[in-house]
Amino acid sequence: MSVNPPALPLAGVKVMDLSRALAGPYAASLLSDMGATIIKVESIKGGDSARSWAPFDGDHSLYFDSANRGKSSIAVDFYTPAGKKILWDLAVASDVLIENFRPGVLNSTGLDPELLRAANPSLIIASVTGFGPTGPLSQAAGLDQVAQGMSGLMSVTGLDAENMYRVGVPIVDLVTGIYTAFGVASALAGRKEGGAGSAVSASLLETGLSLSAFQGQQYLSTGEVPVPRGNNHPVLSPYGVFKSADIPLIIAVGSEKQWVQLCALLGAPELAEHPDYATSRLRTVHREALRELIDGLLARQTAAQWLADLRAEGIPAGPIYNYEQAFADPQVQHLQMVQTVQRSDGTALPLLRGPVSVNGRAPVVAKAPPALGQDTLAILEGLGLSAEQITGLMEAGVVYDGAPSSVPTGEVPRG
């Protein structure tokens, strides 16, 4: 007898996703992974700005696709009375509203938070901003790399103090999305106790600063300003990229036991007792000389041979993959992180699933990233509108149903 799997933790939770680009949409996708129903509400005039961002697969933005799994889309004219009424009805019927307009812009769409809470006291409103909801930069536009630079993250990333780099993915946006989803999940848990909704906020600047970890703490406690260390760990050694007989590999020694094991494995047990390398602090002070020694010892074997030996000893180690190699790795394939879904136009889309499993159950992509407005009719029907009312809204240009024959034009309203 087959047994249905248990419901996911957020099954039955309704989320209205008014956000655009990455942080907010990524948060909503993470909530979808946990079972929430996500209605992505987009402007009829172009939709989410990420729909126009490269890279593309035909007419499909892969930037958009990567952050909008598991959602339904309704396209609405935000600034008509009828459009505002639809936004209001959707918000009042939701458990969570996620938005990333500039502070105050949400009100211009008719969604005043105080009025919404009067109509739906249990509503959780999650707001994502560039620099925080108050302060001298609260109205300034903020994007990922701006936050990477301003938060100090770029100052510890790169070859050296003269060559500082951005992280190769929009890490601040992504982690802000994770923080936002965490805040929403916490507010939902709290709502079960008290019944009232909450206001959750996150900003790119706060996220970037929160990622400073020991680098920021070093400055706060000692006044010493950290600098980039290339591919070396800032405070541990040996921990970084090393040469082998063919290609580089990563070795990460995190304890004295592993250091002794590494020396023995490299055929140089005497290194463990060398006065320059006897402690973690000394190894960091003399990291360059130690790296040259280890590179010379590693030159005797290929990276694959060393990786097998290192892993057998329990020493953390791994290759440096490009994405083709990463997706081909047997462990990655075993985890089945890539799932193929069908877009509304019938094209196939290989898509990464969410990374968090519950009770041994890995997330399933509930729905392919939606075309603009592809679910408009179903969502309006869910609000109780009649066929005649929906037709009237379509003919008046208040909503768009995703049909190619009636593609709306215009600019996306900026918040």
Side-chain angles (χ1 to χ4, degrees):
M1 182 177 66
S2 63
V3 178
N4 292 327
L8 289 167
L10 298 184
V13 173
K14 297 178 182 178
V15 178
M16 179 181 182
D17 180 11
L18 266 172
S19 62
R20 300 138 306 146
L22 190 52
Y26 189 67
S29 283
L30 292 172
L31 297 173
S32 169
D33 294 338
M34 294 295 107
T37 298
I38 314 295
I39 295 179
K40 185 174 181 68
V41 183
E42 303 183 72
S43 166
I44 198 170
K45 298 179 180 179
D48 187 330
S49 52
R51 289 186 181 276
S52 64
W53 294 357
F56 288 97
D57 175 16
D59 293 331
H60 298 283
S61 165
L62 299 178
Y63 196 113
F64 175 88
D65 284 350
S66 71
N68 285 281
R69 63 181 179 272
K71 304 179 184 181
S72 299
S73 170
I74 178 173
V76 183
D77 188 330
F78 286 13
Y79 299 109
T80 61
K84 289 184 177 182
K85 176 66 165 56
I86 292 170
L87 296 180
W88 176 269
D89 290 344
L90 286 169
V92 170
S94 297
D95 297 289
V96 180
L97 186 157
I98 300 176
E99 59 93 12
N100 63 348
F101 297 110
R102 291 195 313 273
V105 172
L106 185 64
N107 293 40
S108 69
T109 66
L111 299 178
D112 181 300
E114 291 187 9
L115 296 177
L116 281 174
R117 286 214 180 80
N120 179 2
S122 65
L123 179 65
I124 294 163
I125 299 178
S127 301
V128 180
T129 60
F131 301 99
T134 59
L137 290 180
S138 62
Q139 294 295 316
L143 291 175
D144 175 88
Q145 190 163 342
V146 175
Q148 285 196 38
M150 189 171 172
S151 67
L153 185 58
M154 285 179 63
S155 77
V156 293
T157 307
L159 293 175
D160 50 42
E162 301 300 317
N163 297 276
M164 295 180 288
Y165 298 151
R166 69 183 294 276
V167 178
V169 296
I171 190 67
V172 174
D173 268 334
L174 293 169
V175 178
T176 301
I178 295 169
Y179 287 171
T180 301
F182 168 74
V184 168
S186 299
L188 286 166
R191 193 179 72 171
K192 287 184 178 180
E193 298 298 325
S198 305
V200 173
S201 66
S203 75
L204 303 186
L205 180 59
E206 290 169 287
T207 292
L209 287 165
S210 78
L211 293 173
S212 65
F214 59 86
Q215 299 278 39
Q217 191 61 52
Q218 174 179 312
Y219 169 73
L220 291 174
S221 296
T222 71
E224 183 178 346
V225 179
V227 296
R229 297 290 184 183
N231 284 321
N232 292 311
H233 192 284
V235 298
L236 296 176
S237 180
Y239 192 131
V241 177
F242 297 89
K243 298 176 182 177
S244 70
D246 51 0
I247 60 174
L249 73 160
I250 297 169
I251 300 175
V253 171
S255 70
E256 293 305 311
K257 177 183 177 182
Q258 290 173 355
W259 166 238
V260 173
Q261 288 175 308
L262 177 65
C263 293
L265 184 64
L266 293 175
E270 69 280 1
L271 276 180
E273 304 299 328
H274 192 288
D276 286 348
Y277 311 129
T279 67
S280 176
R281 179 174 290 188
L282 286 169
R283 291 194 294 275
T284 299
V285 171
H286 301 288
R287 71 164 75 239
E288 289 306 316
L290 179 58
R291 181 183 57 79
E292 291 182 9
L293 281 172
I294 292 175
D295 281 348
L297 294 168
L298 290 171
R300 293 175 298 149
Q301 290 187 171
T302 66
Q305 291 172 310
W306 283 120
L307 285 175
D309 294 340
L310 289 161
R311 286 170 173 165
E313 288 293 323
I315 299 171
I320 301 174
Y321 282 157
N322 60 33
Y323 279 113
E324 180 181 18
Q325 294 166 322
F327 287 125
D329 184 271
Q331 179 64 25
V332 175
Q333 294 194 344
H334 171 80
L335 293 171
Q336 297 181 322
M337 288 199 68
V338 179
Q339 299 178 5
T340 299
V341 295
Q342 298 293 318
R343 298 188 183 98
S344 60
D345 64 1
T347 57
L349 174 65
L351 199 66
L352 275 170
R353 63 163 173 80
V356 180
S357 299
V358 177
N359 294 326
R361 179 183 173 190
V364 174
V365 179
K367 195 171 184 291
L372 177 62
Q374 78 172 53
D375 306 288
T376 294
L377 302 184
I379 291 169
L380 292 177
E381 289 171 0
L383 289 175
L385 275 67
S386 67
E388 292 75 15
Q389 289 173 311
I390 295 173
T391 298
L393 290 169
M394 289 283 297
E395 291 177 348
V398 175
V399 298
Y400 167 59
D401 67 351
S405 60
S406 56
V407 175
T409 60
E411 294 299 321
V412 181
R414 302 294 178 181

